[in-house]
Amino acid sequence: MQIIPHIPVLYREVLEIFCDIDNGIIIDCTMGYGGHSSMILEANPHIKLIAIDQDQSAIDFSTQRLEKFKDRVVIKKGRFSSVIKDILKEHDIKNIRGILADIGVSSLQLDQKDRGFSFSSDNLDMRMDKDALLCAQSVVNEYSLHELERVLLEYGELRNYKKIASFIVQNRPFYSAKELGDALKHLMPTGKKIHPSTLLMQAIRIEVNNELGELESLLDTIEEAKFSNAKIAIISFHSLEDRIVKNRFGKWRDSCICSDEAMRCTCGNNHSYGKILTKKPIIAKDDELRDNPRSRSAKMRVFKMDNNNE
């Protein structure tokens, strides 16, 4: 018998978003432990679900967890940015009614200390796909000073990124997340509710897994698909991801694509892909925050695509 390891973030809100979908296919781009997938399948008994994950451990666990749904669920391995392209080729676009993506590191990966995501881990890995070539140890020990500065500034938004990058270069090699975090503790921001090394580890993890590139690619694929009736729900955990989603949803909403300098509209004013369903991002309620502290950073934005873009 499986021990279900956690409740997925914003689980009630996700179910509410998809509650009116009574047929077709919902794609869970980030299956993980199968929490969202299993709840969606339970709540929507007439839909089929395609779940994606690049982590074989997640696939092994969730294959067993979702077995009771039989032919209503299909699990595919790979990065969602590429797998979703294959899915859209295999299925009629009109049958895709929902897409969910819970962006970032999963609880499964955080809880397995040998994966190197945890601050207390004796490893320095951080690969979501254990078969991937680039790992955190390579980034920390092999990147040039300039490359490290780029990663820390762009993905960690660390003000003293130059000092941190210089310290790493002067004191490497590092072989564990704990060793790296302890060595850099004196250079980490203080006074925040998060662990001092959070932004450092976040930056390295994003680089290792190309997380922002994956998100951009997913949004590109959705944009190109021209869905006739589908809800797109994206859960993000830090400002970089949320900004990408917010800006893309804003672009999809706008009917006029003329430049701000244009005296009058000449584009036809018919370029909207649909409407934003969340004026502000959805965040966890107090009871969920108490039960699952990891949900404190979660923000969900939802877009409804319709056939106005045909």
Side-chain angles (χ1 to χ4, degrees), residues 70-88:
K70 299 184 174 18
D71 58 352
R72 291 182 57 211
V73 59
V74 174
I75 296 174
K76 293 181 176 288
K77 182 180 180 182
R79 295 194 169 208
F80 55 71
S81 64
S82 57
V83 174
I84 195 169
K85 293 179 182 178
D86 297 331
I87 293 172
L88 297 183

Side-chain angles (χ1 to χ4, degrees), residues 257-270:
I257 58 173
C258 294
S259 69
D260 294 337
E261 290 76 25
M263 297 294 292
R264 61 186 179 84
C265 177
T266 58
C267 72
N269 198 26
N270 62 349

Side-chain angles (χ1 to χ4, degrees), residues 244-278:
I244 289 172
V245 176
K246 179 182 179 181
N247 291 342
R248 187 65 68 99
F249 282 7
K251 174 188 173 185
W252 291 351
R253 174 201 57 208
D254 293 341
S255 184
C256 176
I257 58 173
C258 294
S259 69
D260 294 337
E261 290 76 25
M263 297 294 292
R264 61 186 179 84
C265 177
T266 58
C267 72
N269 198 26
N270 62 349
H271 296 276
S272 175
Y273 287 78
K275 61 183 178 181
I276 297 172
L277 298 185
T278 48

Side-chain angles (χ1 to χ4, degrees), residues 99-103 215 218-219 222 232-236 245 249 299-302:
I99 295 178
L100 172 67
D102 183 352
I103 306 299
L215 175 57
L218 172 66
L219 294 170
I222 293 171
I232 316 300
I234 311 289
I235 301 173
S236 61
V245 176
F249 282 7
K299 294 181 178 180
M300 179 167 66
R301 295 184 185 270
V302 186

Side-chain angles (χ1 to χ4, degrees), residues 210-227:
N210 188 29
E211 292 177 35
L212 301 188
E214 285 285 296
L215 175 57
E216 291 275 17
S217 182
L218 172 66
L219 294 170
D220 287 344
T221 299
I222 293 171
E223 183 174 320
E224 294 163 6
K226 300 185 184 299
F227 291 102

